[in-house]
Amino acid sequence: MTGTRSTARIGLLVAAWIVRLVAIILVIATFNFVLVRAAPGDPAMVMAGQSGAADPKILDDLRKEYGLDKPYLVQLGTHLARVLTLDLGYSYRQRRPVLDLILERLPATLLLTLTAFCLALLIGTTLGALAGLVAGSIADTVFTVLSLLLYATPVFWLGLMLVLVFSVTLGWLPPFGYETINAKHTAIERIFDIMKHMIMPVISLAAIYLAIYARLMRSSIIEVSHQDFIKTARAKGLARPRIVVSHMLRNALVPVVTVAGMQAGALVGGAVVIETVFAWPGLGRLTFEAVLQRDYPVLLGIFLILSVIVIALNLVTDLIYRLIDPRMTTEAA
Amino acid sequence: MNRREFTAAMLAASAAIPLGITRAAGQPKGGTLNTIIQPEPPILVTAFNQQQPTLTLGGKIYESLLKYGADLKPLPGMAQSWEVSPDGLTYTFKLFPGITFHDGKPMTSEDVVFSCMKVLTETHPRARQNFARVASAEAPDPLTVVFKLKQPFAPFLGCFDCTSAPIVPKHIYEGTEFRKNPMNDKAIGTGPFKLKEWVRGSHVHLVRHDGYYRKDQPYLDEIIYRIIPDSASRALALENGTVQLVQWSDVEFFDVQRFKSQKNLAYTTKGYEYFAPHQWLEMNNRVAPMNDKRFRQAVMHLIDRDAMNKRVYFGNAKVATGPISSKTKFYDPKVKRYDFSVEKAITLLDEMGLKPGANGKRAEIKYLVPPYGEVYQRAGEFFRQSFSKAGIDLVLVGTDMAGWADKVGNWDYEMTQNLLYQLGDPALGVARTYISSNIKKGILFSNTQGYSNPEVDRLFEEAAVALDEAKRQELYSKVQQILVEEVPVAWTLELEYPIIYDKAFKEIVTTGIGSHETFGSVYKS
Amino acid sequence: MTNPSVQDKASVLSVEKLSIALPEGGDRPFAVEDVSFAIGRNEVVCLVGESGSGKSMIAHAILSLLPKGVDIVSGAVKVVGQDTAALDRRALRRLRGGKAAMIFQEPLSSLNPLKRVGEQIEETILTHQQPVPPAAAIKARVQELLTQVGLPNPSLLANSYPFELSGGQRQRVMIAIATANQPELLIADEPTTALDVTTQRQILRLIDDLRRERGMGVLLITHDFGVVADVADRVVVLRHGKVVEHGSVEQVLRNPRDPYTRELIDAVPKAHVKSRESASHATPLLDVVELRKTFRVKRGWLQPPREVVAADGISLTLHQGETLAVVGESGSGKSTLGRMIMRLTEPDSGAIRLGDQDLRLLRGEALRQARRGLQIIFQDPFSSLDPRQKVGDAVARGPMAYGTARDEAMAQARQLLARVGLTPSAADRYPHEFSGGQRQRICIARALALRPKVLIADEAVSALDVSVQAQVLALLAELRREMQLAMIFITHDLRIAAEIADRVIVLQHGRIVEEGPTAAVFTNPREAYTRDLLDAIPGRRFFDQPNFARQREALA
Amino acid sequence: MDAVKAFLRHPSGMAGFVLLIIVLIVAITAPVLFPVSPWEMSGTPFTPPGEDGMWLGGDTLGRDVAAGVAHGARVSLLIGIASALAAMTIGVMIGAISGYFGGKVDLVLMRVTELFQTVPAFILAILLVATFSPSLLTIILTIGAVSWPPLARLTRAEFLRLRGREFVEAALCQGESTARIVLGHILPNAISPILVVVSLTVATAILLESALSFMGLGDPNLMSWGFMIGAGRTVIRQAWWMSVFPGLAILVTVLAINLFGEGLSDVLNPRVSRRRA
């Protein structure tokens, strides 16, 4: 129960997570590799084909460059060895190292997904908690209907509707992009500019998760409010606000945090569509372009990185979970 | 015309062109041009990648020896004059003095020879074929380049635009692995603009090259190419003035009409003469029923190409009559015309014995949708509906770029749509699609449909080496008649891509390569 | 104080003609009807009744903690002279946890799992003491309370979370919370039902000590007349929400006037050892040799698993017609023993000989065939029947699995159902149409359908109300005689063991601490642990010695 | 049939059911309501709603949006249901094996399940469809392949819970075979929460299909709602109706299925539904 012991536990936990991460990375790398090779189409052909007219020499060169002439097992071995040294390969289509390509897109994606994630979690749990506390009231019904509607809305369509209303009709918000290019803004103006560009993509991406977390929080609050220790708290003579804050919220958050961690993957997936709708220069768009161009190294790299991000988000939620629930520190990972 | 007269005529011609070096001051300097690049190019070095966006952007950075006017006649580029020996085998170019690369080093004839004979023959598929005809290239002095051909090649003078023969610095590339040279990121050329910054996924920022050899040029301070993958967003950007220039398919065809009427914008379809994008429904001639001429003729009757132009391309095209674009040299309109007639098509189909089956269908054909955007999708849908009228079921097959390139290149398809550039001369841009010697498995934009006719082969070959214009016209007219009768592919439309720009900008379109041009002479009033 | 009908002016609680309505669609209109009783200072009143009698409702009504939709429709509750219905929210909050406190049955779920124990106690003090005492004083008070409820090392304990404590410790914490503000009334709603007998005894003693020290009035709700006999001054017996009997312990327990009360008291197993001559045969039917089992609980990555020894070399024999009781507190390994014999849990080592076969060595079809001779009845009659299977099928399925024709098996099933006291038409109905006792009868019929040699009853009557419990036990005894069954009766309740068993095995931490004929073990236990267990049997002395007059001080 | 009665009294569940019936009717009667192919370019491009006999307007090629929405219902429901069934087949099989046998099998299968849950499902779907080229079959299989993990986990949890239940142990003691125990006792008791999740999987499958089509990875021969929105996206300025109506169709259908599924869940297994989002 002492500080050093729990610090040591967290350290051990993180170490365990890293082992797990490496294992998962290797499996995913293998999985991706196999999948991508199973696809029809010859990558050398694509790269050359783009040039206007291919010729066998160029194709041969490319095959050699990428080792496409070697047996699959050798390719896989080389691939895994590279992955472990953080060398995600070289994109012959983009003619740049994959890691560079990903790293320059990563901040935009992280900005978008993390903002959406935090916003959804914050607003969702707040609204859900409020609705749960007044369960059965008109406000709760309105909330339930709205969250059900949001939950059923396709993300990309929501984005389009926002563009239709706020950009096309009202002209309030920029319909695409990350910032006003070459605007020669000061640092502060630039931040505001980026924020303005973020509003619609973040809302579109966050909406569905907001609905999910809110609904979850609502039912969680209702469930907690029926538990014995709430009765104990009432029997102690605690006032309702105190019961809510000090006994209900934290207990109700436990399942929400668990689900939030599990939704991280879906959130990153949603970013692909949203980045396409809003021309957001992030990893999602890079993914889509890479799929269309069958850019093998880029695809493999993106999948690894996204998996790492998801696992990292899982780790964060897991740590939060442990922070909230002391039982978890001593029990199974 | 003897050699001196020829040179003089050329010089005179060049002087008459508004873009000539003699044209002096008067234009206001400064200003920023915001435009669009779509999709984002993988690299800016045009010697290594010839996708349309690479060329548009690289055209500002890399120059070549010549330019071509709307009539596709050569104009001075970095070469101020040139002469051709009467036997059509020796080409001598004189360079402008004082040309420097963006890193400050001088550009000399050595760089030209190195670029054409060492770099491009390795990295540029189209240039490789052109320069394969060269027996020797020499640099007798820093300002003179001499090419000696193995045999006459009529369109050789058409091989020196900045997209076909960009000049790269020898001092950077010599002895290196060209494609992996780290300096590729810097994109060092001789053009009026140089690369300042490239934020991937966002924009490419070009600024003026102060050491540019043409006096006072460039007039603009900077050009910013924005990367906006979403076409609706691109249209909006033009509309609200975020960008002042769009080219190629930056705005969708259905948007063009709207911009034509916008007062502050100028609209033109000029500047595509060199490319003359020519579109057709490609049919694999090896596979039944497309192996029957009558079926292919029926296809020509089935496609209402006017309607297609209106609905799919929103009038931004002209109906094509045959293999050579009406914008390209040696076009002959006097060929067989296929009117839109389902009856005629059905007659032809009945004649060849392709009768409706029990389900009312005559045939089921797979149509590979080219993965290059919505218009191609719509066109596929249009074909499908057109064919359904004659009981032919077109099944659209979606694919990615790799899959499409692989399947078409390896002849593993039944029908698809294709779009090729004419490149200013039938010998460069047309023959490749129809001659038997270009049936090369695995190679895209070759004679992938597998059409073969010895007569057509002979006519194209003779026309390529003939030096006399009239003789060439005769040969090409003949080849057009044969091809239109045999319908190796179903030509649909000559696309007329627009260039739309803010009227404050002048001299945007000055040559036959339009938006790929250097923009050194563009100025903001 | 002796006359319960007199409303004592000094009473800390008076319930007058209380009626509580149930929401529509309930099985009866009123949860509680016209209930009156009072508790004076320093007095313990027990509210006794079987499940569904409405006793918990009354407890909740006292502090206005009734669930939504359940309301007091008439009558009044006065706590320390204040009519709770007339109080506003604030005053009500001051009352709760202040003058009147409450503890509940399940101490784990009654404590907030995410808060340290100390904080949960502090909270009560903070809420009720004005002005708020300084932090140090509160800390000291928490330590004091924890010490008072008999918890060792209070400073470490205050920093612990509920899940780190044992059941008894948790209930002590609950008591510390309840008594933090010196209440005049303590309501304890089945406070020991979830605990082992020895712990139950300690908790009851603690409550009684605190009562005496502080002069609190205590309302103790229980279903166990043994507990009543041990601690109560007065008893209120409830049935279907109505008071059927009300009086002093001696009066009600010795001379119940109401037939229902009498029935209940008679049904309480009295731990009277009925002398039986154990039929000793030369060769045992079942011979269990040196069974060992250690459970390894994984505790996540890189942590060694926690080991729990459930069986540490257990050997036992069972003869035909004999009933062997296996007793022990929770965690002693008694259920694991039963499950190992049934091969539902795999032992680590040892032998289970049934006839001439070692069950432990059998696999697949041989095991299936051998299982016929062994059957089991589980504790929870609700989860031991497939809700989607008709009762007849449930009984007939066993014989059918061994080749009996369906018609024949169904006919047998009907007979068996009749034998265990159900109508044969029960065969065509689903389990949810039956009460707990009836279900347990179905389970017995199912187990007997295969004509087993050995029947294992794993806490088979623990979940039943005492009156039903007596009926089921009687049925089992009958069947045993009739069918010459050998039976292993696993139970935590020594009273039941005494009633039914020929021999007893006492288990502690997976080890047999004492073994012998029931009479010998109960009257003359050799081991201290056995003695503790026997001492802890609630109400034992009261019922054992007809002249035993309860002297409450004796508990101390 | 208490469940049916209880469902009839469940207001939101019934609302979902009625909406779903309407969508089903539209899907079934689409060829009658709109006998001409939804691909037929019968009108002028960009006809606004109400004009030219097209209540919901015309698209870029002059095709009737209303016909597309009606015919799209067939595609969306077909893909939604088929992929949910595919997911169920995979998920229940894996979950059942994992839950019943436990031990190392369980460990391996659950690691695989976790892996599938870790990889962003939509990106995996994009990759799978792009890899094996979009067609009705590949889309259904792909959506099935990325949607099964929750079903596997649920089935496993149910099997674990039920395997430890005393009636299952009693069946074991009564000598019933493994197959009978799984099929006769465990599966029937696990089936209602599984069915609820399958019904909700239909909704997510429809959303997934629409997102894939929107990204241009749908079957080009099928007029699906996602495809229509994708086609309408670039012309949102000229023809808002091209993207608004198919989007509403998705919204209503998914909402209906969710309401229906939740109603079902409340009625069939209150225990599970309280835990679910």
Side-chain angles (χ1 to χ4, degrees), chain C residues 173-238:
Chain C
V173 170
M174 277 301 289
I175 294 172
I177 292 175
T179 55
N181 296 310
Q182 311 277 11
E184 293 180 37
L185 171 67
L186 177 68
I187 302 162
D189 186 0
E190 302 259 15
T192 57
T193 310
L195 305 174
D196 280 325
V197 272
T198 48
T199 320
Q200 162 168 298
R201 183 176 175 73
Q202 292 162 7
I203 295 291
L204 289 175
R205 183 175 295 178
L206 172 65
I207 293 174
D208 209 49
D209 288 348
L210 291 167
R211 189 246 333 151
R212 201 166 333 103
E213 268 168 42
R214 313 220 173 136
M216 288 188 300
V218 175
L219 177 64
L220 184 79
I221 289 160
T222 180
H223 64 274
D224 190 338
F225 273 94
V227 170
V228 175
D230 276 354
V231 298
D233 293 311
R234 282 188 296 123
V235 192
V236 178
V237 184
L238 277 179

Side-chain angles (χ1 to χ4, degrees), chain A residues 112-141:
Chain A
L112 183 65
T113 31
L114 289 182
T115 314
F117 184 67
C118 295
L119 220 66
L121 204 53
L122 216 70
I123 299 176
T125 48
T126 311
L127 286 180
L130 290 175
L133 290 173
V134 295
S137 67
I138 294 174
D140 176 45
T141 311

Side-chain angles (χ1 to χ4, degrees), chain B residues 230-232 235-236 239 252 254-255 258 310-312 314 369 374 377-378 381-382 384-386 388-389 394-400 407, chain D residues 37 39-46 59-63 130-131 133-134 218-222 227 230-238:
Chain B
D230 176 53
S231 65
L236 200 66
E239 191 167 341
E252 300 282 348
F254 54 76
D255 270 326
R258 188 154 55 91
K310 282 200 195 86
R311 283 180 191 268
V312 182
F314 292 84
V369 184
E374 268 187 62
Q377 178 77 31
R378 296 291 96 77
E381 290 162 13
F382 186 92
R384 182 173 54 195
Q385 282 310 107
S386 306
S388 71
K389 300 284 184 272
L394 215 57
V395 178
L396 303 197
V397 180
T399 181
D400 54 87
K407 286 205 167 81
Chain D
S37 157
W39 298 100
E40 186 58 42
M41 295 163 278
S42 46
T44 339
F46 299 131
D59 77 353
T60 355
L61 298 186
R63 299 177 295 211
T131 303
S133 88
D219 184 330
N221 297 293
L222 297 176
F227 163 81
R233 176 170 71 110
T234 47
V235 291
I236 194 155
R237 303 179 54 80
Q238 286 85 354

